């Protein structure tokens, strides 16, 4: 079986790994420059001339593991050294107070950046990067296919990739809908399954004195603040904080300028840590499709068995890295005999 996977995030990597282990031929396509999807890092300028740039996690910050299948995979990654436990004691900002919020939850990061895990899972899977798929077409009754048809993918660059027995689509739902055009599966995708998030990195002139390394923010415009140097395996990172705006504010500020976002982030963060922070460098990244909308039920994987087309993503099972991994495993299980 020859399978095309669109999206080199955690879902795509997980599906690719499982399918290849069972002997399928897999090709992965992604519009981005590198694999990782929302477990990505961006190159951030450093003030240290010896290390002018370093990567910083702008998307997923850590993950938890609850499902036995994911826990088992995690054991392997820990043994390989691609994942480490991030032992930070969470703080919570609520009712105008920053307080410890110890919970005993184990949290994990991939090292040296979050996208390294996706890269490792993909291994030597054939991968077309900088390749935005713009069209999927299915032609019936090809003699070469066991499944009564064959998929051809077309890219924005004008390339054509024929000869696939199955397609696994792992883009965010809105992008799946665009790609599916008139296909009946498009109608099954609920709108607004994923909500936006502005991520802002602040490199500070001096260290935050408060001992908190990771803060769950329950009021105001932010949702999360984390001292990136506190994560295991992040060498060379100085006093660099990554802040996420909550979904409601991100939606309201969707078209805000970097200056507006940084000013607001700096003000809020100063209030939370109780210290006026001075910013030496900053970077903003807008995620249009970030977190699962809690007002929606998780739809599960959407499948067209006749055409061997599967829509799978973190959103299928309710968001988060763990669910992306599980969605990839489920997609592979549907296709495997
Ligand atoms: P994605 O990672 O979105 O992968 C989809 C891929 O498809 C992308 O690489 C995209 O480039 C590609 N693509 C889309 N359209 C096309 C096309 N037409 N052609 C080719 N390629 C295409 N989860 C946690 O568990 N813990 C966290 O702390 C956490 N924090 C987060 C913070 C932020 C700001 C964000 C954005 C997400 C966070 N998440 C977190 C969620 C987590 O990142 C996701 O659940 C997970 O990475 C989703 O993986 P995925 O493969 O399903 O989707
Ligand atoms: P988790 O159990 O650490 O966190 C889940 C949520 O529970 C947190 O967002 C937080 O609101 C709350 N929480 C957890 N521990 C807390 C504590 N000690 N004190 C106060 N509140 C606490 O991790 P998870 O279930 O694997 O969730 C993944 C994380 O990814 C969450 O933090 C989620 O917000 C985050 N995420 C963020 C985005 C985004 O767009 N910014 C997108 C997807 C996921």
């Amino acid at each position: 079986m020859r399978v095309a996977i669109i999206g080199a995030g955690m879902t795509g990597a997980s599906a690719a790994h499982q399918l290849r282990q069972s002997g399928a031929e897999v090709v992965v396509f992604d519009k981005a420059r590198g694999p990782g999807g929302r477990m990505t890092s961006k190159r951030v300028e450093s003030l240290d001339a010896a290390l002018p740039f370093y990567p910083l996690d702008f998307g997923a910050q850590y993950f938890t593991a609850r499902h036995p299948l994911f826990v088992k995979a995690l054991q392997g990654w820990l043994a390989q050294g691609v994942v480490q436990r991030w032992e930070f004691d969470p703080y919570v900002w609520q009712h105008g107070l920053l307080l410890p919020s110890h919970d005993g939850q184990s949290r994990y990061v991939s090292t040296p950046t979050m996208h390294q895990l996706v890269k490792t899972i993909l291994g030597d899977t054939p991968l077309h990067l900088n390749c935005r798929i713009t069209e999927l077409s299915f032609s019936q009754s090809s003699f070469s296919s066991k499944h009564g048809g064959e998929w051809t993918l077309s890219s924005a660059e004008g390339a054509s990739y024929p000869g696939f027995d199955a397609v696994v689509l792992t883009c965010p739902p809105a992008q799946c809908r665009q790609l599916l055009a008139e296909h009946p599966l498009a109608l099954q995708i609920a709108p607004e399954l994923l909500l936006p998030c502005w991520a802002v990195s602040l490199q500070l002139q001096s260290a935050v004195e408060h001992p908190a390394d990771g803060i769950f923010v329950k009021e105001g415009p932010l949702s999360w603040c984390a001292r990136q140097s506190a994560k295991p395996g992040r060498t060379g990172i100085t006093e660099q904080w990554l802040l996420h705006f909550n979904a409601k504010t991100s939606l309201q500020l969707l078209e805000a300028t970097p200056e507006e976002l940084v000013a607001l982030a700096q003000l809020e963060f100063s209030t939370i840590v109780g210290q006026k922070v001075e910013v030496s460098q900053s970077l903003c990244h807008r995620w249009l499709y970030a977190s699962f909308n809690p007002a929606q039920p998780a739809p599960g994987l959407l499948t067209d068995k006749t055409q061997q087309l599967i829509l799978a993503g973190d959103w299928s099972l309710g968001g988060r890295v763990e669910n992306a991994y599980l969605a990839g495993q489920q997609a592979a299980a549907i296709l495997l005999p």
Side-chain angles (χ1 to χ4, degrees), residues 172-175 177 185-195 289 291-297 299 302 315:
Q175 294 168 342
R177 212 178 304 116
L185 274 191
L187 301 173
Q188 292 186 36
I189 307 173
E192 290 170 7
L193 277 176
L194 293 180
L195 300 174
Y289 310 110
S291 58
F292 191 78
N293 183 348
Q296 299 268 13
L302 304 179
W315 53 272

Side-chain angles (χ1 to χ4, degrees), residues 120 179 205:
T120 302
L179 254 179
Q205 284 175 11

Side-chain angles (χ1 to χ4, degrees), residues 87-135:
E87 295 188 35
F88 76 97
D89 253 340
Y91 276 71
V92 66
W93 169 256
Q94 204 168 16
H95 312 308
L97 293 172
L98 181 57
L99 295 172
S101 186
H102 183 70
D103 57 10
Q105 174 71 56
S106 299
R107 297 180 173 88
Y108 301 89
V109 296
S110 147
T111 55
T113 63
M114 288 301 274
H115 84 278
Q116 186 58 43
L117 177 58
V118 174
K119 232 173 140 176
T120 302
I121 298 171
L122 280 170
D124 61 358
T125 306
L127 178 60
H128 291 273
L129 292 170
N130 295 309
C131 182
R132 179 192 291 271
I133 300 302
T134 48
E135 201 185 323

Side-chain angles (χ1 to χ4, degrees), residues 9 45 72 147 165 172 185 224 318:
E45 260 183 74
K72 191 169 167 227
H147 306 289
D165 301 301
L185 274 191
W224 168 252

